[in-house]
Amino acid sequence: MREFSDLKRRRLYRIALNFFNKKPDRGLQLLITWGFVDKDPQSIAKLFLGRRGLSKQMIGEFLGTLHSSFHASVLDYFVNEIDMYQMDVDVALRHMLTFFRLPGEAQKIDHIMQVFSRRYKACNPDRLNPTVSVDTIYMLAFAIIMLNTDLHTPSLKNSKRMKVDDFIKNIRGIEDGKMLDKNMLTQIYERIKEREFRPGNDHVTQVMKVDQSIIGNEKPKLVEPHRRLICYCRLHQIIDVNKRQNANAHQREIFLFNDMMLVAKLFAKKKSIAQYNLRYWTALIGLKIEPFQNQLYSYGLSIECPNGEHLLFNAKNNDDRYRFMADVRESVAESTEMESIRIELELDKQTPITLGPGSVHRFSRVDNQRDSGLPDIDHQNSTELPELSNGHTITSNTMASNLYARGGGTTSAQKPVTSPTSGFKTTNSMGLMNGAAHSITYHAATRRLSFNSMDSGMVEENGADLSV
């Protein structure tokens, strides 16, 4: 059995999550093969329910897979793990749908609603009229899903939306629906009208916040199931390394994702809401980052982009510089290794992706393994980094000195939105993205995101609130 270092194992876990968030079956096979989850449906169902970093959209796609006994078994275990006791049908359905997003196909929705109705009946045998069958609950659940779509489709005119009387008439017009209480159906309608069904937050929710806060004609599509926000920080770009510039000049906001990096300029701030103008973006495969210093800039960062662009930044201190550099290097290593694995899987057509017995574990699973990242920040047990020419020695258990990847493989398109001479600022601090679902909150300099987190690639520092 091949052994991997802790750092390597954590990176492989994130890569498997990335694959799942693109192609669920392939990603799950990697999670099984690499020993992160057992091969039985119950373990997989618990993984879906208990771990972040998995796209709720892709969980729904997997659970809705038709004509597969394995997928159906996972769905059964998944739904049976959800507490529905003493809940009205719509409340239980809303609760279940916080764990995944329903797929778009009617057949898949039908499949999931059948499993839901059996679970609901088992949890609430006395809540409804005893004559109400599983089939009746299934019919009502499917009607609730249709009602939710009808009432909350933005493009539908209000005059065309279903009215409460229509909803009741449609249900009670069916033979089994006559047993359902009219007052109960009215309450269901009002609750759905008041509040739309929404899946719970996941890593895509944070990416959506960033996407809504950045404007720019050349902005790439950011919201993808596989994309995770790794860190958000402020740096100052150095226009001329041989000329001193104002400490607050050329401030830029850096958004580092697991497969790309965006550089933006803060241009509007109303109360706690910030808006950014995109200046540059680049893929990570092939990107290189190195520290530098001279008499004018003590905490410099040199970034060589895959398309040949060369960017220079300055950080506030060595700790900020090496934290950011460690995050970039590990993200580059993750992207590069994922691309290598993708190519290998495409070439190796003789090894099909199967989800039954026979998967080979490449290393043992660690039950208390964290989900996405490097070890937690521990200033007492940190790993020493190389000594700089100015005599400073930086420590950080993100192990920046071991993370540098020179990025083989192919590169994606990178588009400079403005000339690099316009400057990407380094700030005097590093910050954390947070806020409401449709905004970015501008935070103090003591907060940042990092690989040292539990599940999705973020870490809490100095008591920062990472809720979304």
Side-chain angles (χ1 to χ4, degrees):
M1 182 181 296
R2 185 179 178 185
E3 297 294 333
F4 292 93
S5 68
D6 183 67
L7 176 62
K8 174 74 170 181
R9 188 173 66 252
R10 292 173 184 272
R11 184 186 302 157
L12 287 175
Y13 179 82
R14 294 194 306 271
I15 289 172
L17 293 188
N18 294 341
F19 273 108
F20 180 91
N21 292 332
K22 288 187 173 185
K23 296 183 178 180
D25 282 354
R26 172 171 287 181
L28 181 58
Q29 181 60 61
L30 292 176
L31 287 167
I32 293 171
T33 300
W34 292 340
F36 293 108
V37 65
D38 293 333
K39 293 179 284 187
D40 63 280
Q42 186 174 14
S43 297
I44 294 168
K46 290 182 177 181
L47 175 79
F48 290 170
L49 287 165
R51 294 298 189 182
R52 291 175 291 177
L54 296 167
S55 162
K56 294 188 182 297
Q57 175 187 341
M58 291 304 172
I59 292 176
E61 289 295 332
F62 183 93
L63 296 176
T65 300
L66 303 172
H67 314 301
S68 167
S69 59
F70 182 86
H71 291 77
S73 184
V74 174
L75 174 61
D76 283 335
Y77 278 110
F78 182 93
V79 175
N80 287 335
E81 288 284 337
I82 299 174
D83 180 13
M84 300 182 187
Y85 292 96
Q86 298 302 311
M87 295 181 184
D88 290 330
V89 176
D90 62 305
V91 176
L93 186 56
R94 183 187 299 276
H95 177 56
M96 183 186 75
L97 293 179
T98 61
F99 295 99
F100 67 98
R101 182 187 296 275
L102 275 178
E105 295 180 35
Q107 283 185 311
K108 292 184 176 182
I109 296 175
D110 181 279
H111 178 51
I112 293 171
M113 290 303 105
Q114 291 182 38
V115 178
F116 165 81
S117 62
R118 294 195 294 268
R119 172 63 172 168
Y120 183 84
K121 180 67 174 179
C123 290
N124 301 279
D126 303 322
R127 191 169 183 84
L128 297 174
N129 187 312
T131 60
V132 174
S133 65
V134 170
D135 288 340
T136 304
I137 297 172
Y138 155 76
M139 177 271 299
L140 176 58
F142 202 96
I144 291 172
I145 294 298
M146 295 176 64
L147 175 66
N148 180 76
T149 302
D150 184 273
L151 294 180
H152 297 286
T153 300
S155 60
L156 192 64
K157 295 181 179 179
N158 289 334
S159 61
K160 300 292 185 180
R161 299 187 191 279
M162 185 178 295
K163 304 298 188 292
V164 62
D165 291 339
D166 298 327
F167 176 66
I168 296 173
K169 181 179 178 181
N170 290 343
I171 291 178
R172 291 175 65 86
I174 302 173
E175 184 65 28
D176 291 343
K178 295 176 181 178
M179 295 178 289
L180 298 174
D181 181 71
K182 183 176 180 180
N183 290 333
M184 180 193 73
L185 296 177
T186 300
Q187 293 173 4
I188 289 175
Y189 179 92
E190 294 300 330
R191 285 193 291 263
I192 300 300
K193 181 179 179 181
E194 181 181 354
R195 189 157 64 98
E196 180 183 5
F197 283 171
R198 290 184 179 276
N201 291 330
D202 58 11
H203 60 279
V204 181
T205 309
Q206 288 192 315
V207 179
M208 289 176 62
K209 295 177 186 179
V210 176
D211 183 61
Q212 292 159 2
S213 71
I214 296 179
I215 63 172
N217 294 333
E218 301 294 336
K219 185 176 77 170
K221 182 181 180 182
L222 295 182
V223 182
E224 297 282 4
H226 66 274
R227 185 160 291 132
R228 292 175 284 110
L229 177 65
I230 303 304
C231 74
Y232 159 52
C233 69
R234 267 168 273 129
L235 300 171
H236 290 88
Q237 188 195 9
I238 300 172
I239 303 303
D240 187 336
V241 73
N242 296 312
K243 293 183 179 180
R244 186 183 301 277
Q245 61 189 38
N246 187 287
N248 296 319
H250 308 296
Q251 179 174 298
R252 297 292 182 266
E253 318 299 314
I254 314 296
F255 295 90
L256 178 66
F257 299 92
N258 59 324
D259 61 344
M260 64 165 50
M261 183 179 74
L262 271 65
V263 182
K265 178 181 179 180
L266 178 68
F267 75 91
K269 180 184 175 185
K270 297 180 179 179
K271 296 182 179 180
S272 61
I273 307 303
Q275 289 289 316
Y276 306 93
N277 190 359
L278 179 67
R279 306 303 297 271
Y280 184 86
W281 72 271
T282 178
L284 294 185
I285 296 178
L287 183 143
K288 301 176 184 178
I289 184 170
E290 293 284 357
F292 79 91
Q293 68 179 60
N294 61 18
Q295 293 181 343
L296 301 178
Y297 302 101
S298 299
Y299 313 115
L301 284 165
S302 172
I303 298 178
E304 183 180 336
C305 300
N307 66 348
E309 295 286 348
H310 190 203
L311 308 175
L312 299 175
F313 297 89
N314 196 50
K316 178 184 179 181
N317 52 51
N318 268 324
D319 187 54
D320 285 357
R321 171 168 62 172
Y322 274 91
R323 285 170 181 265
F324 178 70
M325 188 170 65
D327 285 348
V328 172
R329 287 177 171 175
E330 178 59 19
S331 295
V332 170
E334 177 185 324
S335 293
T336 303
E337 189 161 350
M338 181 175 176
E339 177 64 8
S340 176
I341 293 171
R342 185 193 67 78
I343 294 173
E344 181 179 351
L345 290 173
E346 291 296 328
L347 294 176
D348 189 13
K349 296 298 184 181
Q350 296 180 356
T351 305
I353 298 297
T354 58
L355 294 177
S359 300
V360 179
H361 288 204
R362 290 171 62 183
F363 53 82
S364 300
R365 180 185 178 192
V366 180
D367 288 337
N368 63 351
Q369 178 170 297
R370 307 295 285 269
D371 278 9
S372 71
L374 310 177
D376 284 338
I377 294 176
D378 183 349
H379 296 292
Q380 294 179 348
N381 300 296
S382 56
T383 302
E384 293 188 2
L385 299 183
E387 185 171 298
L388 301 180
S389 58
N390 65 354
H392 292 296
T393 299
I394 309 306
T395 62
S396 167
N397 75 353
T398 51
M399 296 181 285
S401 61
N402 297 324
L403 301 184
Y404 182 44
R406 293 189 177 273
T410 60
T411 62
S412 302
Q414 308 85 32
K415 296 195 176 184
V417 180
T418 63
S419 167
T421 59
S422 62
F424 301 116
K425 305 175 181 181
T426 61
T427 74
N428 55 2
S429 62
M430 304 189 82
L432 170 67
M433 187 281 297
N434 195 6
H438 300 289
S439 63
I440 293 291
T441 304
Y442 199 75
H443 284 288
T446 56
R447 303 173 67 180
R448 71 188 290 274
L449 299 176
S450 167
F451 275 114
N452 298 308
S453 74
M454 290 279 294
D455 292 343
S456 60
M458 281 82 59
V459 66
E460 179 177 343
E461 295 185 11
N462 298 326
D465 180 11
L466 291 181
S467 60
V468 291

